Amino acid sequence: MNSLNNFVYVALVEMHTLAGGLLRFFTRFPYSHITFSFYENLESCHAVQTLNEHTPLIANYVNENPSYYVINNNKQKKVRIAKYKIPLTEEEKKNIEEFINEYRNDTEYLYNMFSAGTSLVLGGFRIHKTMICGEFVAKILTFISSVKFPKPYYKMFPKDFYKFLVEYK
């Protein structure tokens, strides 16, 4: 039986990186990154992001922990996080875990820097085997039958999640 005793936690994060600062400046929105976890305390988060703040174009799947958000250049910073709790079934959780494993082990996946770089003008677009953080989390949420998107998952950005996930706050 598929019981709703599992949750996925989606977190919008204010990242203190150059790319995060630029995104916050141009969008006038406090959050510049999105990630998700199966743990309420966000102990282990899954995301697509830059692997190093000094190389913003080199990015892919990462397993984050909360200290990543608050420590930048060896300085601790205050970070805003908006967290959402979304119920899911055992089968949906299993499907998400399978997708994560496939994504993590597929060396052909790249960061969708073209969509990220033109998102403010073009609103995001899909390129085969590429993703950005919002697209990755949105793809994860497509496995949850109760989540209905207001637009295609690959066009979802942090500001969109903030509005559309309000019922899961």
Side-chain angles (χ1 to χ4, degrees), residues 49-126:
Q49 71 166 28
T50 58
L51 302 177
N52 180 316
E53 72 170 292
H54 303 292
T55 55
L57 299 181
I58 301 172
N60 210 332
Y61 171 84
V62 292
N63 192 325
E64 305 170 325
N65 66 52
S67 67
Y68 179 82
Y69 308 134
V70 297
I71 298 172
N72 185 317
N73 290 330
N74 297 318
K75 297 176 192 165
Q76 192 161 351
K77 299 211 175 192
K78 196 171 194 173
V79 174
R80 286 184 277 193
I81 295 177
K83 187 168 63 170
Y84 305 89
K85 182 178 179 179
I86 304 168
L88 71 160
T89 65
E90 283 289 337
E91 184 177 337
E92 290 167 341
K93 184 176 181 180
K94 180 178 169 253
N95 291 338
I96 290 169
E97 289 170 335
E98 285 176 5
F99 173 76
I100 291 168
N101 286 330
E102 288 173 19
Y103 189 97
R104 184 181 2 211
N105 294 320
D106 189 335
T107 58
E108 293 180 10
Y109 267 103
L110 300 171
Y111 187 67
N112 191 348
M113 66 180 167
F114 299 111
S115 182
T118 61
S119 63
L120 297 176
V121 178
L122 301 177
F125 55 88
R126 193 165 187 282

Side-chain angles (χ1 to χ4, degrees), residues 105-152:
N105 294 320
D106 189 335
T107 58
E108 293 180 10
Y109 267 103
L110 300 171
Y111 187 67
N112 191 348
M113 66 180 167
F114 299 111
S115 182
T118 61
S119 63
L120 297 176
V121 178
L122 301 177
F125 55 88
R126 193 165 187 282
I127 299 175
H128 181 67
K129 294 232 177 191
T130 66
M131 287 193 183
I132 59 174
C133 64
E135 188 176 355
F136 180 74
V137 171
K139 177 66 177 174
I140 293 300
L141 296 179
T142 66
F143 292 101
I144 303 173
S145 61
S146 64
V147 175
K148 305 295 182 220
F149 289 95
K151 57 184 171 181

